[in-house]
Amino acid sequence: MIGDFCDVTDGIHTSIDYDEESCVNLISATSPRENYFDLSRNAKISEKAHADNPRTALRLHDVVLSTVGTIGNCAVVDQNVLPANSDRHVGIIRVKEEYSPYVVSAYLLSKYGRMQTFRETTGNVQPNLFLYKIREILIPKFDKALQKQVVEISIEARKKRNTSEQKYKEAESFLLQRLGVEDWKPEETKVSVRTYRDVFAAERIDAEYYQQKYDNIREKLKSFVYLPFREVCSLYDGNFSPEKNTMYRYIELSNIGSMGEINGCTVGYGSDLPNRARRIVHKGNIILSSIEGSLQSCALVTKEYDQALCSNGFYVIDSERINSETLLVLMKSWLVQAMLKRGCSGTILTGFDKSVLEELPVPIPPDDVQKQTAKLVEESIRLREESRSLFEQAKTMVERAVEGRGEWHYATSPDAERT
């Protein structure tokens, strides 16, 4: 059992002391994915809280497992994540001997690890995987030769993933630089004076809506060659009714990664899908979350997800004037994100409606800028797919070893064949 050779604990149980200025990452249930961490939430914990909670502070080579929400995702902590602390929605597995953390992680993400984490999950409203259940997960005693291969492949997969992230950041930086806003910041003022006429025209009485920075960002967007969203982009918001006995792929918010990628989906009959599965997507579409807390959940639909369904919490868009890769980077840029955030309204579940999107000023980058942006995004996608393919190999090796299939065993004699 994992508890036989690992220390297993969890994160902070008290309220988190967030601090945007801190350098300490806060790892929560949405952070670990398949062999990597998604830090797009940019959640930070104060340095004082980090120092006050040494038990929950993450260390190099910790295996972090999500225990609430999307249960069973995990990854190994590397230098790119540190310094970091964690909340109570993750399990921290510290390998003491015999196994490599990368092998433990690959096994937990394999079908045999997933079966156990799924089976041991309890609860209805908010399912949980408790620490004592993690300690009881069974794992085979893999031989050292197999472990060595799994470690090498997992690390190489992580490297490609990191390079993919760098390429996406290059695309974002290049586009913002060519638009002249890479280092530009809007004016920040503590007071903004508006008339009753302004308030009634906007139909908003929340003070944040009238912050000067939003006016500055809007004027900056209009300083480019631009068109209103409704004139440069197409919006597909019609409802699709799934057939009860037809199988569909269904994309939801939890499937969207930090680089605008779709990380898997649910496959099921139309009768089993939630009522919100009402949008159909096609290759080249951009899906954009309308929910305030998830505005960064914006992704490019690739060939793999052509004709899949997505939640009606997404807007499905594309453009004939802007290529899909550039449109993705624009929609995820801080300029557009700020304007979408300004347009959010509501109480329990805040979000923006399509009128906010339709009036959004959308810059039209020159063709050469669009081509270079697309090239960098495509390179990012290629590296990400290579990373995913490599890690699938590592999981397959583990699964075959569990099944007693000899394909992945080293030969005992130098002259013997090894498959």
Side-chain angles (χ1 to χ4, degrees):
M1 295 188 294
I2 280 182
D4 293 335
F5 63 96
C6 299
D7 290 327
V8 181
T9 187
D10 58 2
I12 298 171
H13 281 250
T14 56
S15 297
I16 301 297
D17 181 19
Y18 292 97
D19 182 359
E20 293 180 358
E21 303 301 320
S22 173
C23 65
V24 184
N25 289 310
L26 177 68
I27 302 301
S28 189
T30 59
S31 303
R33 297 293 182 109
E34 283 225 342
N35 195 42
Y36 70 95
F37 288 92
D38 183 348
L39 303 178
S40 60
R41 286 176 60 238
N42 201 32
K44 305 290 185 181
I45 187 172
S46 71
E47 294 185 22
K48 181 181 185 304
H50 179 56
D52 290 343
N53 291 276
R55 177 187 66 83
T56 60
L58 298 182
R59 306 173 191 172
L60 190 64
H61 298 149
D62 280 348
V63 179
V64 179
L65 178 71
S66 58
T67 58
V68 174
T70 307
I71 294 171
N73 283 343
C74 70
V76 180
V77 174
D78 62 12
Q79 290 291 359
N80 292 327
V81 178
L82 299 175
N85 215 299
S86 56
D87 68 16
R88 65 182 182 278
H89 296 146
V90 297
I92 305 167
I93 302 171
R94 292 190 173 125
V95 181
K96 294 185 291 186
E97 57 187 30
E98 191 173 356
Y99 286 87
S100 162
Y102 287 98
V103 174
V104 173
S105 180
Y107 175 74
L108 289 172
L109 290 168
S110 74
K111 62 183 178 183
Y112 296 106
R114 291 277 194 184
M115 284 177 185
Q116 294 184 74
T117 54
F118 177 77
R119 182 187 187 193
E120 301 301 343
T121 297
T122 56
N124 294 317
V125 177
Q126 189 177 49
N128 271 275
L129 178 64
F130 294 110
L131 294 184
Y132 77 94
K133 289 296 185 181
I134 297 174
R135 296 186 185 103
E136 293 175 357
I137 291 174
L138 298 173
I139 181 170
K141 292 185 176 181
F142 297 115
D143 64 62
K144 291 183 179 180
L146 174 69
Q147 290 200 52
K148 183 174 182 292
Q149 279 192 302
V150 171
V151 171
E152 289 173 354
I153 292 173
S154 298
I155 291 176
E156 181 63 22
R158 179 72 72 87
K159 286 179 179 177
K160 285 185 178 291
R161 174 81 194 189
N162 291 342
T163 306
S164 172
E165 290 178 356
Q166 290 170 10
K167 287 294 179 183
Y168 181 82
K169 289 176 182 176
E170 281 181 37
E172 187 175 49
S173 177
F174 170 77
L175 181 61
L176 293 179
Q177 184 182 43
R178 292 300 296 268
L179 291 175
V181 293
E182 186 179 27
D183 299 319
W184 178 80
K185 291 183 179 180
E187 180 184 354
E188 296 276 1
T189 58
K190 293 183 179 181
V191 177
S192 179
V193 179
R194 302 300 169 99
T195 65
Y196 280 121
R197 180 180 297 175
D198 294 334
V199 173
F200 284 117
E203 298 182 338
R204 297 289 293 259
I205 60 170
D206 48 319
E208 186 181 26
Y209 181 85
Y210 299 99
Q211 288 185 27
Q212 185 63 41
K213 66 178 181 180
Y214 292 125
D215 291 336
N216 290 343
I217 292 171
R218 189 172 189 84
E219 290 306 310
K220 192 67 175 178
L221 287 170
K222 286 185 174 181
S223 70
F224 310 126
V225 176
Y226 85 98
L227 285 171
F229 178 93
R230 64 177 181 276
E231 295 183 26
V232 73
C233 295
S234 298
L235 172 62
Y236 308 99
D237 60 346
N239 281 335
F240 174 83
S241 298
E243 297 287 338
K244 290 184 178 181
N245 297 319
T246 302
M247 293 287 285
Y248 296 95
R249 292 159 296 162
Y250 170 59
I251 303 162
E252 50 190 332
L253 282 173
S254 61
N255 297 129
I256 308 303
S258 60
M259 294 181 287
E261 77 274 25
I262 301 170
N263 292 314
C265 61
T266 300
V267 179
Y269 287 104
S271 58
D272 297 327
L273 296 178
N275 291 333
R276 59 183 178 274
R278 289 293 182 269
R279 300 274 191 269
I280 189 166
V281 301
H282 299 281
K283 178 186 175 184
N285 287 158
I286 304 298
I287 55 176
L288 172 65
S289 169
S290 62
I291 309 302
E292 182 175 10
S294 306
L295 295 179
Q296 272 286 335
S297 293
C298 176
L300 170 64
V301 178
T302 56
K303 182 179 179 181
E304 181 181 359
Y305 297 101
D306 187 49
Q307 297 191 36
L309 300 183
C310 72
S311 165
N312 56 13
F314 289 107
Y315 286 115
V316 181
I317 65 174
D318 62 19
S319 173
E320 293 184 358
R321 295 283 301 273
I322 305 173
N323 64 49
S324 297
E325 293 81 7
T326 304
L327 186 59
L328 170 71
V329 178
L330 274 175
M331 290 296 109
K332 286 177 65 65
S333 70
W334 69 268
L335 285 169
V336 172
Q337 288 282 306
M339 295 309 297
L340 295 179
K341 180 177 173 62
R342 184 197 196 193
C344 289
S345 60
T347 52
I348 297 174
L349 190 64
T350 56
F352 65 88
D353 59 37
K354 71 176 184 179
S355 63
V356 172
L357 200 56
E358 288 172 338
E359 296 302 320
L360 181 74
V362 178
I364 314 294
D367 287 345
D368 63 322
V369 173
Q370 291 195 42
K371 287 178 181 177
Q372 180 61 19
T373 302
K375 181 180 178 181
L376 289 167
V377 172
E378 287 166 357
E379 180 69 3
S380 173
I381 292 171
R382 183 186 66 80
L383 287 164
R384 188 170 66 241
E385 290 304 315
E386 289 180 5
S387 170
R388 184 183 301 173
S389 178
L390 274 173
F391 191 65
E392 285 298 319
Q393 289 181 38
K395 290 197 297 183
T396 300
M397 291 171 67
V398 167
E399 290 166 0
R400 289 182 172 180
V402 172
E403 293 160 4
R405 297 162 66 180
E407 293 94 325
W408 298 100
H409 285 269
Y410 282 91
T412 54
S413 165
D415 298 323
E417 291 186 0
R418 196 194 87 208
T419 57

